[in-house]
Amino acid sequence: MGSLFEELKAREAAARVRVEGLEEELALVSAQLGQAREGLERLRVTRETVAKVMAEISVASDAEPEVERLDGGQVPSPYAGAERRVVGVLAVPK
């Protein structure tokens, strides 16, 4: 009967070693999973932020008035008709 108990102890020790090894692997994989989840969350927040900014830019650009063009297709100067004075070699609107 002694050999049966010895066999059971040996199997128990082997099972204990396997469980400890699996627990170490689980801890490692859990840490990797946590890092992957954090990366996923950062990407989600980034995507949502970029989508919001792009939507705001789109709304702002849609709200800008259309610029009237001259007969030749040129955009008139915003300073057209403004009085100018000469300072050095630059003409500045008053």
Side-chain angles (χ1 to χ4, degrees), residues 13-94:
R16 184 174 293 115
V17 168
R18 176 144 170 78
V19 166
E20 289 171 357
L22 290 173
E23 287 174 342
E24 289 175 7
E25 283 184 47
L26 177 61
L28 178 65
V29 170
S30 293
Q32 291 173 348
L33 178 60
Q35 291 173 347
R37 283 184 174 153
E38 288 173 9
L40 176 62
E41 181 64 15
R42 284 193 304 272
L43 288 171
R44 184 189 62 77
V45 168
T46 301
R47 179 184 45 79
E48 289 175 356
T49 302
V50 169
K52 182 179 177 183
V53 169
M54 294 300 291
E56 290 172 0
I57 289 173
S58 176
V59 168
S61 67
D62 290 345
E64 291 178 7
E66 190 74 22
V67 176
E68 293 184 30
R69 298 188 181 273
L70 300 175
D71 292 337
Q74 297 173 341
V75 177
S77 169
Y79 304 111
E83 290 183 35
R84 297 173 189 235
R85 63 182 185 165
V86 176
V87 179
V89 291
L90 295 176
V92 234
K94 218 173 189 178

Side-chain angles (χ1 to χ4, degrees), residues 1-16:
M1 287 289 232
S3 64
L4 178 61
F5 286 114
E6 290 174 10
E7 180 65 25
L8 288 174
K9 282 184 180 182
R11 288 186 183 196
E12 183 181 353
R16 184 174 293 115

